Amino acid sequence: MSRMKITGARIGAIVTCVPLREYDNLKETDSFTKDEVHKVVAMAGVKSRRIAAEGVCSSDLCIAAAKEGLELAQWNPETVDALIMITQTPDYYLPSTSCVIQNELHLSDECAAFDVGMGCSGYPYGLWLAGMMVSQGGLRRVLVLHGDTPSKYVDGTDRAVGLLFGDCGSATAVEAADSTAEINWYFSHHTDGAGYRDMIIPAGGFRTRFSQDLREHFVKMNGANVFAFTLKRVPALVEETLSFSGASKQEIDYFIFHQSNRFIIRHLAKKLELDLKKVPMTLAEFGNTGGPSIPLTITQCMLGRRMDRDFRLMLLGYGVGLSWSSALVTLEAGTKLKHVEFTPGL
């Protein structure tokens, strides 16, 4: 069973970055009738989304976030031991996007860099990998980047997905904790590949390199199956993580769900008997940004709050794969948080 407790890791900074372009679903959508748009917005909760301009990739958003993150964490780029880039919208099939970013950030050639091709559950996986790296004593500083531009693989005429997705990049500075610190992180990861077709881009990979049907190059989602999967798996994941960590719901400051759909998140919160004040949502302003929705919701939730104490967060990713994953982590007092908008050329 893929559960792990990690001691000796801490988060120094989290920065999120979104494009300047704000798309208003209610005012700008002309692919559906007004009634259809209002129904989708009412259900999913997505009023507006941030859309990356042509030629702007997830790497650009992550680089902008990383530059801010390095400054906030007071890390010299030369001291970064590893770079993890989590994305399902890479710049190229090869080379790895992490190599492109390593060069742009002027990191040392002794920095390990690799991509992780995870989607909605990717952020807990990234923290897990980084936490293991620094807790073993070999590495001191790991930069976890998670960025996606799902708006670029969406068919705007597909009612199932056309009004949902926005773009976002993030950077999380994970470092070795002081040896006297006794803060534990807890992780649980699950996979059910039998549902891989429930959210898929059929063409463009090497199973079907090119398709004459251009629609095959856009994401297809079986909404009913994904909905049923989420309602079955996520409540059990929350309970499992609480049991494994020995924590109670009352001890968790915030439950940060992947921002999939407002109706789903509210249903999950009700089923788990969670106080909605502990379940922040960013869907209305940013839409479903894929896996980076978790760090985005963290910055939006925590910015403006005094970080004069520790906050315990349960992070819950679920979706494409099918995959579901949790991380119970602590944001220590003084953790630096920032949210920025991407400005090309800067």
Side-chain angles (χ1 to χ4, degrees):
M1 189 170 292
S2 187
R3 297 178 187 167
M4 180 173 285
K5 179 176 80 171
I6 291 176
T7 304
R10 67 180 301 273
I11 294 173
I14 302 175
V15 179
T16 51
C17 177
V18 296
L20 281 169
R21 167 75 165 107
E22 184 174 356
Y23 182 96
D24 189 314
N25 276 345
L26 293 172
K27 295 180 180 179
E28 299 185 62
T29 304
D30 56 13
S31 299
F32 314 108
T33 67
K34 288 185 178 181
D35 284 346
E36 287 178 314
V37 173
H38 279 278
K39 286 179 182 178
V40 173
V41 170
M43 176 70 73
V46 181
K47 295 179 181 178
S48 64
R49 302 171 282 136
R50 296 301 183 94
I51 304 299
E54 185 69 27
V56 174
C57 297
S58 54
S59 63
D60 299 307
L61 302 177
C62 285
I63 288 168
K67 288 178 178 179
E68 295 284 350
L70 290 169
E71 185 175 338
L72 281 181
Q74 298 183 326
W75 287 8
N76 184 318
E78 290 286 326
T79 66
V80 176
D81 297 307
L83 167 69
I84 303 171
M85 175 59 175
I86 308 161
T87 188
Q88 292 197 313
T89 53
D91 290 25
Y92 312 101
Y93 277 110
L94 60 90
S96 298
T97 304
S98 58
C99 294
V100 176
I101 295 174
Q102 182 270 346
N103 177 63
E104 290 293 325
L105 293 178
H106 306 293
L107 306 184
S108 165
D109 62 6
E110 295 185 355
C111 173
F114 60 94
D115 288 6
V116 175
M118 296 294 293
C120 307
S121 61
Y123 192 66
Y125 269 91
L127 293 181
W128 177 54
L129 291 169
M132 286 193 295
M133 290 177 177
V134 301
S135 68
Q136 298 304 308
L139 306 184
R140 296 290 300 174
R141 292 176 171 175
V142 179
L143 196 57
V144 178
L145 308 183
H146 195 177
D148 273 310
T149 52
S151 72
K152 296 181 182 295
Y153 57 57
V154 168
D155 177 357
T157 66
D158 183 347
R159 190 174 181 276
V161 295
L163 298 174
L164 300 182
F165 293 103
D167 304 326
C168 180
S170 69
T172 303
V174 177
E175 59 191 2
D178 187 290
S179 59
T180 61
E182 295 185 2
I183 294 178
N184 299 316
W185 291 0
Y186 299 88
F187 299 88
S188 182
H189 308 294
H190 298 266
T191 310
D192 181 7
Y196 79 93
R197 292 184 182 275
D198 289 336
M199 193 165 185
I200 188 172
I201 301 175
F206 291 96
R207 179 68 61 188
T208 304
R209 189 72 181 92
F210 302 104
S211 174
Q212 292 182 343
D213 184 352
L214 292 180
R215 293 173 299 179
E216 295 293 290
H217 290 270
F218 293 102
V219 67
K220 296 183 182 298
M221 181 174 71
N222 185 323
N225 284 2
V226 173
F227 178 77
F229 148 77
T230 302
L231 296 189
K232 176 183 178 182
R233 299 297 193 178
V234 177
L237 177 65
V238 172
E239 298 292 356
E240 173 187 297
T241 307
L242 290 171
S243 176
F244 174 48
S245 65
S248 68
K249 294 175 186 176
Q250 291 70 34
E251 292 175 297
I252 309 302
D253 291 290
Y254 293 104
F255 294 83
I256 310 292
F257 290 87
H258 158 54
Q259 300 294 290
S260 55
N261 176 297
R262 182 174 63 186
F263 177 81
I264 290 176
I265 294 173
R266 285 182 172 176
H267 189 90
L268 292 171
K270 182 178 181 179
K271 188 171 184 178
L272 287 160
E273 299 181 338
L274 302 179
D275 184 345
L276 281 177
K277 292 180 181 179
K278 289 189 172 188
V279 185
M281 283 187 271
T282 55
L283 282 156
E285 301 86 4
F286 300 103
N288 179 342
T289 60
S293 70
I294 293 178
L296 177 62
T297 304
I298 293 174
T299 61
Q300 297 304 298
C301 169
M302 301 301 297
L303 280 172
R305 296 188 178 276
R306 295 180 60 188
M307 295 297 294
D308 56 355
R309 68 172 179 88
D310 294 352
F311 285 83
R312 297 193 81 184
L313 309 180
M314 185 181 291
L315 315 179
L316 298 151
Y318 49 91
V320 62
L322 295 170
S323 174
W324 59 110
S325 179
S326 67
L328 179 54
V329 300
T330 299
L331 289 187
E332 298 177 45
T335 301
K336 303 296 192 301
L337 304 168
K338 191 171 183 178
H339 177 72
V340 298
E341 294 181 330
F342 178 73
T343 303
L346 295 182

